[in-house]
Amino acid sequence: MNTTVQAGSLARDLAAICGPEHVEEDPALEAFAIDGMAPAIAVSPATAAEAAQVVSFAAAQNLTVVPAGGFTAMATGGIPERINILLRTARLKEITHYDPGDLTIGVGAGCTLAALDEALAKHDQFLPLDPPYPEHATVGGTLAAAVQGPLKHGYGGMRDFCIGIQFVTGDGKLAKSGGRVVKNVAGYDLMKLMIGSYGSLGVIVEANFKVFPRPGGRNLTRTFVLEFSSLSGAVHFRNSIRSSHLTPVCLEIVSPRAQEYLTEETPVPRDPDDYAPAAPGGPPAARWRILLRAAGSEAVLERYRKEMGSGLNAELSGEEETRTWKYISNFEASVLERHRNAMFARMNVTASAVEAAIGAAEQAGVDNNLLLATVGRAGLGALVLAFIPLSVDPPSAMQYANTISALRSALPQDSAVVVTRCPQEAKWHFNIWGSTPTDIESMRAVKHVLDPKGILNRGRFLV
């Protein structure tokens, strides 16, 4: 922190912007620590203008700013250099406009996905975002971290249905990219850059979305569960679906070991270090699964049933179906509940490389006494990896580093593995983001324009 700015005066300056009741100081801030680094102060602006004033003040004083929503993705990122100001978006939660006829909505960055879904449900509409913790995950944080679940298969990435973003630049200026209506694509590239930038280019304060008709009524949904004795069998079925005329909403692959973590909505509390799978050294008894979710009329669903043939193991509907997909979205949380030393990664490969990539991940884990459990979008090559320690004792930092290094080395060049959570001490031994991108200089140039002093999320992202 700038030595000219003492804690007391910092609190007073921020209180003058947002009100004293919306400024938090020690000891409450320990709850907001990131990799052991607690912020010096936290502030919750009520408007985009207040957020801009906070960032402008911070830039003038060379104070670092970390934007924060529901704290559901804060484990992802490098160890912060320092956190002078934690800028919480919790009060930016208003729905700024909603036109059900045009299928568009604008909402503050601090609105939770659960609250947004409740508003859309009144008009039989929804937004196909299904990350974990929807009661806590915010619109801004979900965009910043580009977190998506199984619905990405059928509805595309959030860059496809986010049609506008308002954000605060690193020098405290309010900026907009995109617009309210779907046909407005002005500034589209900048909007795409903001998504997945982890708050390093700007503080998202509002977003506009294209929304979709909600399944229900005549538009039924069913989930078809198919089991296979091998990964190859599951991938072969996946290929047959991709080459057919079927258009499933979700097409998810679930490894045998992952199934243990998809059976309880709230796992029984236990000491994570005392827990291990029933057969930690050998293959689980369960088989590989493909979960295919279809939507349409009864005639459409009947066509799916015929395509599934004798391989169909179960058909889910109603609450059972809803529960199953919630388990999938909360997979990482369920594993973490039982194994606090687990490492998680998001792996993106081409669809044709899924089988080899999962095999490489399993081998990399076993070689370092870590067991792999994985779920993911089988048709897209977007997989969630959980590396679970084989022993009760916490693994060494080098076990995590060696696992990720071996996996990255085994994958094609157009692949990516981003570590989303691991023990803090392991982060000193490898780059959680992977190798330096070829366009790193362009990224740095954009960062310099939008955040000239580098105060936003310093040390957390690639630039």
Side-chain angles (χ1 to χ4, degrees):
M1 184 186 297
N2 189 328
T3 55
T4 64
V5 182
Q6 301 300 320
S9 62
L10 176 58
R12 288 192 295 273
D13 289 331
L14 294 177
I17 299 172
C18 301
E21 66 273 29
H22 303 299
V23 176
E24 299 172 75
E25 299 181 82
D26 282 333
L29 298 178
E30 286 299 324
F32 301 123
I34 301 172
D35 286 327
M37 177 77 65
I41 203 163
V43 62
S44 302
T47 64
E50 285 186 3
Q53 283 184 269
V54 169
V55 177
S56 178
F57 167 78
Q61 302 293 336
N62 194 28
L63 302 174
T64 62
V65 175
V66 172
F71 255 74
T72 59
M74 281 299 194
T76 304
I79 298 174
E81 178 184 312
R82 66 178 192 269
I83 308 173
N84 295 136
I85 299 174
L86 187 77
L87 195 161
R88 304 186 63 195
T89 61
R91 297 173 69 206
L92 304 173
K93 59 184 179 181
E94 299 299 319
I95 293 177
T96 54
H97 81 272
Y98 181 22
D99 189 336
D102 277 347
L103 296 173
T104 58
I105 193 168
V107 63
C111 181
T112 66
L113 296 183
L116 177 57
D117 186 64
E118 183 179 352
L120 292 170
K122 295 175 183 177
H123 298 273
D124 293 323
Q125 295 174 348
F126 86 120
L127 190 64
L129 289 176
D130 51 349
Y133 308 113
E135 298 83 6
H136 303 285
T138 62
V139 166
T142 302
L143 289 171
V147 180
Q148 284 190 260
L151 288 173
K152 184 177 181 180
H153 177 88
Y155 290 92
M158 58 184 70
R159 290 181 177 90
D160 297 318
F161 48 82
C162 179
I163 57 175
I165 286 179
Q166 184 180 34
F167 60 97
V168 178
T169 63
D171 50 3
K173 297 176 182 175
L174 271 174
K176 288 184 178 181
S177 180
R180 271 189 197 182
V181 292
V182 177
K183 65 182 179 181
N184 186 342
V185 294
Y188 180 65
D189 285 344
L190 185 56
M191 183 179 66
K192 288 171 67 176
L193 286 173
M194 293 297 298
I195 297 173
S197 64
Y198 285 85
S200 64
L201 300 179
V203 180
I204 297 173
V205 292
E206 185 181 329
N208 301 316
F209 295 99
K210 166 190 172 184
V211 298
F212 297 83
R214 196 179 197 91
R218 293 182 180 180
N219 189 26
L220 308 170
T221 66
R222 294 290 186 274
T223 293
F224 302 103
V225 181
L226 299 101
E227 293 191 348
F228 305 88
S229 60
S230 67
L231 172 58
S232 295
V235 172
H236 178 76
F237 174 79
R238 186 273 324 252
N239 292 342
S240 70
I241 294 297
R242 293 185 72 221
S243 61
S244 74
H245 294 294
L246 300 179
T247 55
V249 174
C250 305
L251 187 61
E252 198 79 357
I253 192 165
V254 181
S255 76
R257 186 164 285 109
Q259 292 168 40
E260 178 180 348
Y261 305 96
L262 305 179
T263 57
E264 299 176 7
E265 190 166 1
T266 305
V268 177
R270 54 169 66 89
D271 182 347
D273 287 337
D274 290 341
Y275 179 77
R287 292 147 60 93
W288 286 86
R289 285 183 180 174
I290 292 285
L291 274 62
L292 185 154
R293 192 176 197 183
S297 65
E298 186 57 45
V300 169
L301 297 178
E302 186 58 34
R303 182 180 176 186
Y304 275 93
R305 293 184 188 102
K306 289 180 179 179
E307 290 285 342
M308 302 301 105
S310 60
L312 181 59
N313 180 261
E315 181 176 328
L316 310 179
S317 62
E319 291 184 8
E320 184 181 19
E321 182 184 29
T322 300
R323 252 193 332 266
T324 296
W325 290 105
K326 184 173 183 179
Y327 293 157
I328 293 285
S329 293
N330 289 340
F331 167 67
E332 293 176 70
S334 180
V335 174
L336 187 64
E337 186 92 20
R338 310 184 197 191
H339 307 282
R340 66 182 178 212
N341 291 314
M343 173 172 66
F344 300 89
R346 277 192 253 166
M347 178 169 68
N348 287 277
V349 298
T350 60
S352 61
V354 165
E355 183 177 353
I358 292 177
E362 286 187 319
Q363 189 61 54
V366 168
D367 288 346
N368 292 280
N369 290 325
L370 300 172
L371 299 175
L372 176 71
T374 183
V375 301
R377 279 82 274 177
L380 304 177
L383 303 168
V384 179
L385 310 178
F387 291 98
I388 301 165
L390 183 59
S391 61
V392 172
D393 294 331
S396 71
M398 291 311 300
Q399 284 177 254
Y400 299 107
N402 291 340
T403 298
I404 293 301
S405 177
L407 174 56
R408 286 171 174 161
S409 298
L411 298 178
Q413 287 190 339
D414 57 354
S415 307
V417 178
V418 173
V419 175
T420 54
R421 181 186 288 270
C422 68
Q424 178 188 339
E425 56 272 18
K427 291 186 176 183
W428 296 109
H429 297 274
F430 65 94
N431 187 332
I432 70 157
W433 303 106
S435 58
T436 303
T438 55
D439 58 351
I440 189 67
E441 290 306 320
S442 298
M443 295 174 68
R444 287 171 178 155
V446 172
K447 170 75 170 175
H448 181 71
V449 170
L450 295 178
D451 182 19
K453 289 189 175 182
I455 67 168
L456 297 178
N457 243 357
R458 185 181 295 175
R460 299 274 289 153
F461 193 50
L462 286 161
V463 292

